Amino acid sequence: MSSLFSWLTKAQALLSPSITPCLTCGKRNPGSSPLPGVCRICVEAIPWISSPRCLKCGRHVGCPDCTRSSEPSPIICNRSAVAYTSVMREWLGQYKYRGNERYGLLLGLMLDRAYIALKEEKRSALLSQKTLIIHSSWSADLLVPVPVSDSRLRERGFNQAERLADVLSKRRKIPQLPLLIRTHHTGKQSFKSRAERIADMKHAFAENPAVTAQFADWMKRKVPLNRPVRIIIVDDIYTTGSTIRACADIVQQMGSDYGYRVEVYSLTWARS
Ligand SMILES: [Zn+2]
Ligand SMILES: [Zn+2]
């Protein structure tokens, strides 16, 4: 039976040469999927976070971190496309550490889905407050990728957060500006405790002096006067949120330096 099945699969592949192997499982599964290069079966197995349990950090499971913390947060909320399962870790590893560039578009499109969900969530919230004029909708004004250190950039050849933001920027016509730089390399975060990570992150980022003038000019020309500027920080993973919060603090500061009210959000590909 199994040999008949494998023969049928081979025959089918020969008869339909247009079916290319799936990027993630390598099999030639028939049928179309909404994500280019990935088969229907793999797409069906993606652990999407469709309705987060924690509305603050977008976590799919109960969240003690947000309920415990009494500190005011510099972000409105985080939303992630997927839960960071072992399969998702493998996908990210293929991209980030093994340099399989074909994953770039895939992960970017997955992040785009999270953006659309956030947009819809914000639109319904505005509608329920009756503050939204009919036919208008919620959208972000600017994307800011989380920077990587120079040494990491040399080693990896690209900044994964910037690539993810590129996909979103092109699809949704939202400008992207590298407002931040990484001042020091923080080492492998996964080996550190929560307290260590937070202390580490506090001084890991700074304003990027190369784009300050461009940012000021953009705000002057593009920012609507009747509402705060909506800035989304983009990264691949949200773990404790200390990276995002450190970045958001600086972005908030930059906005207020120029006299603007800024709402900072974050979009991350996975929530661990
Ligand atoms: Zn597949
Ligand atoms: Zn939370």
Side-chain angles (χ1 to χ4, degrees):
M1 187 64 199
S2 71
S3 68
L4 174 67
F5 182 75
S6 81
W7 181 85
L8 278 171
T9 313
K10 275 179 201 153
Q12 193 178 33
L14 282 171
L15 289 169
S16 48
S18 61
I19 303 175
T20 47
C22 167
L23 172 65
T24 61
C25 71
K27 292 181 191 145
R28 292 173 191 269
N29 290 319
S32 63
S33 97
L35 291 172
V38 184
C39 77
R40 190 174 41 84
I41 293 162
C42 287
V43 168
E44 275 165 16
I46 294 174
W48 297 112
I49 302 178
S50 300
S51 40
R53 281 268 297 274
C54 179
L55 293 175
K56 189 76 195 171
C57 71
R59 208 168 186 177
H60 49 295
V61 290
C63 180
D65 297 351
C66 292
T67 40
R68 189 174 52 200
S69 173
S70 53
E71 266 178 64
S73 170
I75 63 163
I76 303 282
C77 65
N78 170 71
R79 288 295 177 267
S80 307
V82 295
Y84 198 43
T85 58
S86 55
V87 175
M88 293 299 103
R89 181 173 309 160
E90 172 61 28
W91 288 20
L92 186 65
Q94 282 288 343
Y95 179 52
K96 212 164 143 176
Y97 306 113
R98 289 195 226 157
N100 190 339
E101 302 246 348
R102 289 182 64 205
Y103 278 82
L105 178 63
L106 168 64
L107 306 191
L109 291 176
M110 290 168 77
L111 190 76
D112 182 55
R113 188 183 138 123
Y115 172 70
I116 294 303
L118 172 67
K119 204 171 144 70
E120 186 49 39
E121 189 185 320
K122 297 304 291 182
R123 195 184 70 95
S124 343
L126 287 173
L127 272 175
S128 68
Q129 293 162 15
K130 297 193 171 57
T131 49
L132 191 73
I133 309 147
I134 312 241
H135 301 309
S136 86
S137 65
W138 189 96
S139 59
D141 299 310
L142 186 72
L143 302 174
V144 175
V146 168
V148 293
S149 66
D150 287 344
S151 62
R152 191 46 64 75
L153 196 62
R154 272 193 302 274
E155 167 198 325
R156 200 173 288 157
F158 64 98
N159 173 1
Q160 71 283 357
E162 198 179 289
R163 294 278 178 91
L164 289 172
D166 277 344
V167 177
L168 199 58
S169 174
K170 286 201 187 83
R171 278 179 80 83
R172 303 297 157 197
K173 312 270 179 295
I174 309 166
Q176 175 183 185
L177 264 184
L179 288 188
L180 308 165
I181 48 168
R182 195 137 193 159
T183 47
H184 71 255
H185 189 59
T186 44
K188 201 146 174 60
Q189 292 298 301
S190 42
F191 294 126
K192 293 178 183 168
S193 73
R194 184 182 158 80
E196 279 173 326
R197 285 187 201 205
I198 292 168
D200 239 17
M201 283 303 163
K202 281 248 185 295
H203 307 286
F205 301 96
E207 189 175 321
N208 181 1
V211 298
T212 313
Q214 208 184 335
F215 179 55
D217 179 58
W218 170 82
M219 296 232 276
K220 217 185 285 166
R221 287 182 300 112
K222 296 283 181 192
V223 167
L225 297 166
N226 58 348
R227 61 162 177 83
V229 195
R230 296 164 186 155
I231 297 180
I232 295 187
I233 295 176
V234 176
D235 206 2
D236 51 357
I237 300 190
Y238 185 110
T239 305
T240 60
S242 54
T243 300
I244 295 290
R245 280 191 296 273
C247 291
D249 276 334
I250 300 167
V251 171
Q252 290 280 6
Q253 188 57 50
M254 288 176 83
S256 68
D257 285 350
Y258 294 107
Y260 290 93
R261 214 151 46 89
V262 181
E263 276 182 359
V264 184
Y265 297 81
S266 71
L267 265 185
T268 43
W269 174 73
R271 178 70 175 89
S272 75

